[in-house]
């Protein structure tokens, strides 16, 4: 008998980006109110474990260009409290988390 996947196996995750990402015009345009004392971040969602998803970004597999070029490490203190969750919740939380972090002054990329 085949096992059904758990409905709540999706995750949001946050990647710390190196400060050099600020040199990217698209990143600057997306973050006009960035507080330069706060780091730049990427927010994503995945059906994989966030550590595995980060490794895949860094290996160039379905990678966001900013994570591939500027990714430093995961920032679990910004997302662990939300995980795991169903797909629809993760999809919505990805957007909400990105908006909240941007409003708090972080530079944020969310695709």
């Amino acid at each position: 008998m085949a096992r059904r996947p758990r409905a709540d196996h999706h995750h949001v995750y946050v990647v710390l980006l190196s400060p050099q990402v600020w040199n990217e015009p698209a990143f600057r345009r997306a973050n006009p109110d960035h507080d330069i004392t706060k780091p730049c971040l990427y927010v994503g969602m995945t059906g994989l474990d966030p550590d595995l998803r980060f490794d895949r970004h860094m290996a160039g597999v379905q990678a966001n260009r900013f994570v591939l070029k500027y990714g430093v490490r995961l920032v679990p203190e910004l997302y662990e409290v939300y995980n795991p969750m169903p797909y629809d919740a993760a999809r919505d939380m990805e957007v909400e988390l990105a908006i909240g972090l941007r409003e708090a002054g972080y530079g944020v990329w969310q695709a």
Side-chain angles (χ1 to χ4, degrees):
M1 176 179 227
R3 284 181 38 184
R4 292 182 56 205
R6 286 188 1 247
D8 60 347
H9 74 278
H10 287 83
H11 300 82
V12 291
Y13 62 98
V14 178
V15 175
L16 175 67
L17 302 174
S18 73
Q20 288 75 23
V21 73
W22 191 247
N23 294 327
E24 296 278 354
F27 194 92
R28 283 197 314 271
R29 279 193 305 273
N31 293 282
D33 299 320
H34 175 233
D35 175 348
I36 61 167
T37 66
K38 295 193 176 181
C40 295
L41 307 168
Y42 172 84
V43 177
M45 62 99 36
T46 182
L48 304 172
D49 178 270
D51 289 316
L52 177 58
R53 182 65 187 105
F54 178 69
D55 291 345
R56 290 176 62 112
H57 274 292
M58 299 309 288
V61 179
Q62 296 176 317
N64 173 271
R65 67 186 175 111
F66 293 140
V67 177
L68 179 61
K69 190 170 181 181
Y70 302 106
V72 176
R73 64 175 174 81
L74 290 170
V75 189
E77 59 270 21
L78 295 178
Y79 64 84
E80 278 185 333
V81 67
Y82 306 113
N83 295 329
M85 65 186 92
Y87 173 82
D88 289 340
R91 184 192 61 225
D92 294 344
M93 180 55 69
E94 176 189 7
V95 174
E96 291 172 22
L97 183 56
I99 290 169
L101 290 168
R102 191 174 281 123
E103 287 176 349
Y106 292 91
V108 178
W109 190 261
Q110 180 262 325

